[in-house]
Amino acid sequence: MNLLITAGPTREAIDPVRYLSNRSSGRMGYALAQAALEAGHGVTLISGPVSIPAPVGAQVVRVESAQDMYEAVRSHLASQDAAIFAAAVADYRPAQVAGQKIKKASEQLTLQLERTPDILGSARAVFGFQGVLVGFAAETEDLLAHAQEKLHRKGCDLLIANDVSRPGTGFDSEENEVTLLFPNAAPRPLPRGPKTAIAREIIRLVSGLRRPPSIP
Ligand code: C5P
């Protein structure tokens, strides 16, 4: 199979030297890319800025902002059998990017933010992607209810839900504890474990979810 994986955070520029971002390390997405390569799949890894090495054998496309990631996904999605959206994409970006470094002139500074494009939400609705679609949902409350809603709204075949309010798992850690949600099957919790082990299990499942080619 050919797999596209998004990973890492995005950076949304405020001015030439500052940005908004988040605590994503990219480890989950990179572990998925590594597991997919070990299973013999072709991997296109669309990555925000991270400090971990890229898995050998992946085609890596480096991006900064949510808009860059959106455009990279749009240009690489058509040839994929499956797409896994593990990136922690910023939901908002500064509505205006200052051309020069903002000076500390007043006591308070208000930043106006606007929504970034929803890349996963565009896969089916805008890009017309027909392959296996996998999303992540990081939540701090009502995990399964929110994740179930996201699974259906974004047209996913699998959604991986993780509770980021628990210490030691999720963002910027080596371990994760996730529940797998499917459109027509009961939720399946996976035991807490290293992201590498969870990634292997997700790749095994994604290979099994492969959709039959659509009849023209
Ligand atoms: O709605 P929420 O941001 O929680 O959805 C999370 C899922 O959507 C993740 O799979 C994430 O990679 C993806 N996402 C995206 N583009 C965005 C926001 C989230 O692809 N702008």
Side-chain angles (χ1 to χ4, degrees):
M1 287 172 89
N2 286 321
L3 267 99
L4 178 147
I5 298 171
T6 70
T10 65
R11 285 181 183 171
E12 309 302 327
I14 298 171
D15 68 18
V17 295
R18 303 184 178 100
Y19 55 80
L20 296 175
S21 192
N22 59 62
R23 302 169 69 92
S24 168
S25 65
R27 283 199 197 101
M28 192 66 235
Y30 277 53
L32 286 160
Q34 181 67 42
L37 288 162
E38 283 168 10
H41 302 303
V43 173
T44 303
L45 178 61
I46 299 183
S47 177
V50 297
S51 56
I52 52 177
V56 175
Q59 184 197 348
V60 184
V61 181
R62 294 187 194 280
V63 297
E64 283 240 345
S65 66
Q67 188 66 37
D68 297 341
M69 189 172 275
Y70 178 88
E71 277 152 29
V73 168
R74 179 168 57 189
S75 61
H76 288 87
L77 197 58
S79 55
Q80 309 294 331
D81 301 300
I84 307 179
F85 289 79
V89 184
D91 290 325
Y92 290 91
R93 65 186 169 205
Q96 254 116 39
V97 183
Q100 305 297 330
K101 185 180 170 198
I102 299 170
K103 295 279 180 206
K104 48 177 177 299
S106 53
E107 278 307 307
Q108 294 198 335
L109 174 68
T110 304
L111 281 180
Q112 175 124 31
L113 304 180
E114 63 181 19
R115 288 287 297 268
T116 55
D118 181 354
I119 310 169
L120 172 59
S122 302
R124 298 247 191 264
V126 180
F127 307 147
F129 182 59
Q130 303 270 315
V132 176
L133 188 62
V134 182
F136 276 74
E139 307 285 353
T140 55
E141 55 182 351
D142 295 336
L143 174 68
L144 293 187
H146 282 134
Q148 201 82 46
E149 185 274 328
K150 217 164 272 180
L151 171 83
H152 290 289
R153 181 164 44 86
K154 302 198 182 193
C156 296
D157 298 298
L158 166 61
L159 192 120
I160 299 140
N162 71 339
D163 181 346
V164 288
S165 66
R166 296 190 199 180
T169 66
F171 272 57
D172 205 11
S173 64
E174 293 286 353
E175 290 207 323
N176 216 348
E177 183 173 357
V178 301
T179 300
L180 307 182
L181 303 183
F182 303 89
N184 298 307
R188 192 189 308 173
L190 291 187
R192 178 173 173 161
K195 288 180 175 174
T196 47
I198 289 173
R200 280 195 288 272
E201 180 61 10
I202 292 169
I203 294 298
R204 200 183 61 75
L205 277 163
V206 168
S207 314
L209 288 173
R210 187 171 195 171
R211 295 181 158 208
S214 56
I215 299 146

